[in-house]
Amino acid sequence: MSKPVVAIVGRPNVGKSTLFNALAGEMISIVKDTPGVTRDRIYADVSWLDREFTLIDTGGIEPDSKDIILAQMREQAQIAIDTADVIIFITDVRQGLVDSDSKVADMLRRSGKPVVLVVNKVDSFNKFMPDVYEFYNLGIGDPVPVSASSRLGLGDMLDAVAAYFPEGSGEEEEDDRPRIAIVGKPNVGKSSIINKLLGENRVIVSDIAGTTRDAIDTDIVHNGKEYIFIDTAGLRRKNKIKEELERYSIIRTVTAVERADVVLMVIDAEEGVTEQDAKIAGIAHERGKGIIIVVNKWDAIEKNDKTTREYESKIRQVLSYLSYAEVMFVSAKTGQRLTKLYDVIDMVIENQTLRVATGVLNEIMTEAVAMQQPPSDKGKRLKLYYITQVSVKPPTFVIFVNDKELMHFSYTRYLENKIREAFGFRGTSLKFFIRERKEKEQ
């Protein structure tokens, strides 16, 4: 089941980022930067008690002048309404209730989405409680007083948020149809690919950049098997600033990737891999999803017998951390190779859920260690005791060693390559956790 998504909305300077950082806090710093991925602090994984969720900060660029603020907040609220399961609406007890708060509250109320109203900067409950009551006037439920900077009241707020999460044992568990998210920059042909696969124009595409609204789920049956395609063509408004747009489309991408098993990363053949492609690919990689890089508009490229190979190696150079991803060259316009997508999706899903017997894994590891000595430091050599697979989607392994510090990233990478040589695992990332075991525990 995918994790619930929680979005933070509010005026500039009410403390959105402070709250985001207080909740995401330590979580963020332990995420190792994937080479080539710029970390835009838009989302973070947060766990509260036994629940996990993805937190999204819709902050974006904060405008200076008053009239843009409302338009900006409406835009943020719209994104939160479209993508989040629960919305945290944050206000400021010291500035009191402001007109734009009420206007955004109306929007949130009409959306029917669960909203937790948070009143920030309440450093002393005794002193500020009378001012907190004023926020009942917004008509979106009980205000929860917090101080993001002193971390007061955050537990109560998270309890209120988690109360809206669907129970773990939902009907959803039973739905084992593969979910495929189609991601990529605006205008690379995401919707055209779905239309072609569907054979009908269900997702309406016109030539205006980004006329499809939000993530649309489409069921497609191919050879008697059902697939769910998640299209993330976010709405673009002509007059918006470019970076802001990118930020928004990335927010939509995060939520779509979160729900998917396999991610089709669509790239425009004529443009090649752009920085935003790398960002989006990084999100899918970090989330451990199956990844297929789909180069669309291949019909528009002048080709000779080397074109495909050269193009593929260029992609792999830029997205070096996605060495496992499958690369396909298609044309939504002519339909070239599109039906092959299903075979590749099936293969990637199979690899995502592949389990390898512990005995076999340990044979591979023993052989790998014999071929290449583990690293040593100051006379102490790394010993690898045992490896086992603990989960799937993505396949996740735990390696027990004598000293975690000695287990260099490059040696883990070496073992990963050996496992891939044996089992392929094409199209899916593999995760490794290193655990320490003292010698005498053996």
Side-chain angles (χ1 to χ4, degrees):
M1 225 170 106
S2 55
K3 284 185 282 201
V5 174
V6 178
I8 303 176
V9 173
R11 281 183 294 112
N13 305 324
V14 292
K16 288 194 292 293
S17 299
T18 314
L19 179 64
F20 179 81
N21 293 339
L23 296 177
E26 298 69 31
M27 306 293 298
I28 288 250
S29 54
I30 50 177
V31 175
K32 292 276 189 295
D33 278 347
T34 311
V37 181
T38 41
R39 251 203 110 64
D40 210 347
R41 296 267 311 251
I42 294 177
Y43 63 95
D45 294 323
V46 180
S47 47
W48 170 243
L49 305 176
D50 57 342
R51 306 305 300 264
E52 293 202 344
F53 61 92
T54 298
L55 183 69
I56 288 185
D57 178 12
T58 61
I61 297 151
E62 305 289 22
D64 303 329
S65 72
K66 289 282 176 278
D67 51 331
I68 315 180
I69 286 180
L70 183 59
Q72 176 83 21
M73 278 185 68
R74 283 206 167 117
E75 183 78 24
Q76 287 173 19
Q78 192 55 57
I79 285 176
I81 289 166
D82 293 341
T83 54
D85 298 299
V86 184
I87 297 164
I88 293 177
F89 180 33
I90 179 169
T91 56
D92 178 344
V93 75
R94 300 178 185 217
Q95 295 174 22
L97 194 51
V98 181
D99 187 38
S100 55
D101 287 336
S102 312
K103 293 203 164 85
V104 172
D106 288 342
M107 232 177 113
L108 295 175
R109 193 170 48 243
R110 281 197 300 273
S111 77
K113 282 274 171 103
V115 178
V116 174
L117 172 59
V118 172
V119 183
N120 191 22
K121 305 187 185 174
V122 182
D123 299 322
S124 145
F125 285 176
N126 298 342
K127 189 166 135 198
F128 287 112
M129 274 328 268
D131 300 326
V132 170
Y133 296 132
E134 178 192 2
F135 288 89
Y136 272 105
N137 293 325
L138 287 173
I140 48 173
D142 301 335
V144 181
V146 306
S147 163
S149 57
S150 333
R151 294 172 171 245
L152 288 174
L154 297 187
D156 291 345
M157 178 194 79
L158 287 168
D159 284 343
V161 168
Y164 289 114
F165 292 164
E167 274 312 303
S169 55
E171 292 302 294
E172 268 195 302
E173 294 287 326
E174 295 312 301
D175 189 351
D176 54 3
R177 295 174 296 178
R179 291 176 176 274
I180 295 100
I182 300 201
V183 304
K185 296 201 320 299
N187 268 12
V188 290
K190 300 188 288 286
S191 302
S192 315
I193 288 178
I194 291 190
N195 288 345
K196 206 69 175 183
L197 293 173
L198 260 178
E200 54 175 286
N201 280 347
R202 173 103 58 96
V203 187
I204 298 146
V205 184
S206 75
D207 291 338
I208 314 161
T211 41
T212 24
R213 175 90 187 125
D214 220 309
I216 305 161
D217 286 9
T218 310
D219 293 340
I220 300 182
V221 179
H222 176 74
N223 284 349
K225 193 170 168 190
E226 244 187 289
Y227 300 82
I228 297 173
F229 282 86
I230 306 165
D231 179 18
T232 54
L235 185 68
R236 295 185 59 165
R237 303 221 174 86
K238 277 297 190 312
N239 54 0
K240 282 278 172 262
I241 319 166
K242 189 163 175 293
E243 293 112 82
E244 200 174 305
L245 259 178
E246 291 202 349
R247 189 179 170 100
Y248 288 163
S249 54
I250 284 187
I251 287 178
R252 292 212 161 103
T253 302
V254 173
T255 47
V257 165
E258 196 63 69
R259 293 173 45 219
D261 303 309
V262 175
V263 174
L264 299 187
M265 172 79 218
V266 185
I267 287 170
D268 184 323
E270 297 174 283
E271 265 191 76
V273 183
T274 65
E275 190 186 337
Q276 198 183 352
D277 291 328
K279 242 185 213 181
I280 294 172
I283 292 169
H285 170 71
E286 222 169 71
R287 288 292 193 259
K289 303 297 180 178
I291 300 179
I292 302 169
I293 297 168
V294 180
V295 183
N296 187 24
K297 308 187 187 175
W298 194 238
D299 56 300
I301 298 287
E302 289 288 320
K303 295 184 255 314
N304 60 32
D305 54 350
K306 293 194 192 67
T307 319
T308 317
R309 257 211 321 277
E310 285 167 1
Y311 204 99
E312 181 171 336
S313 69
K314 214 182 293 169
I315 292 177
R316 296 208 181 275
Q317 226 172 334
V318 182
L319 304 175
S320 54
Y321 52 92
L322 290 184
S323 53
Y324 56 85
E326 287 293 297
V327 176
M328 287 188 72
F329 296 90
V330 306
S331 162
K333 201 167 169 185
T334 65
Q336 181 191 14
R337 272 196 288 278
L338 273 189
T339 47
K340 268 206 65 180
L341 264 178
Y342 292 110
D343 298 340
V344 180
I345 288 169
D346 289 346
M347 175 199 75
V348 170
I349 286 177
E350 209 171 293
N351 287 336
Q352 273 246 297
T353 50
L354 185 64
R355 283 186 185 273
V356 181
T358 302
V360 181
L361 281 172
N362 283 286
E363 275 170 36
I364 294 174
M365 185 173 83
T366 311
E367 201 173 299
V369 168
M371 282 166 61
Q372 188 175 323
Q373 279 257 333
S376 60
D377 184 32
K378 299 191 184 67
K380 188 174 183 186
R381 183 167 294 284
L382 171 70
K383 280 189 189 149
L384 287 81
Y385 297 130
Y386 185 74
I387 180 171
T388 183
Q389 183 175 352
V390 290
S391 65
V392 293
K393 277 189 176 185
T396 304
F397 305 89
V398 174
I399 303 176
F400 292 97
V401 300
N402 61 338
D403 185 346
K404 243 160 67 168
E405 295 302 306
L406 291 173
M407 185 73 172
H408 293 198
F409 171 69
S410 57
Y411 203 75
T412 309
R413 170 69 63 78
Y414 162 69
L415 287 177
E416 174 177 342
N417 291 339
K418 289 292 170 209
I419 291 172
R420 284 189 186 280
E421 273 170 34
F423 296 100
F425 281 118
R426 280 164 53 194
T428 179
S429 61
L430 303 180
K431 282 210 161 49
F432 290 88
F433 291 104
I434 312 301
R435 298 259 186 280
E436 243 171 60
R437 253 198 195 174
K438 297 293 168 272
E439 307 266 346
K440 54 181 176 293
E441 282 180 41
Q442 273 307 295

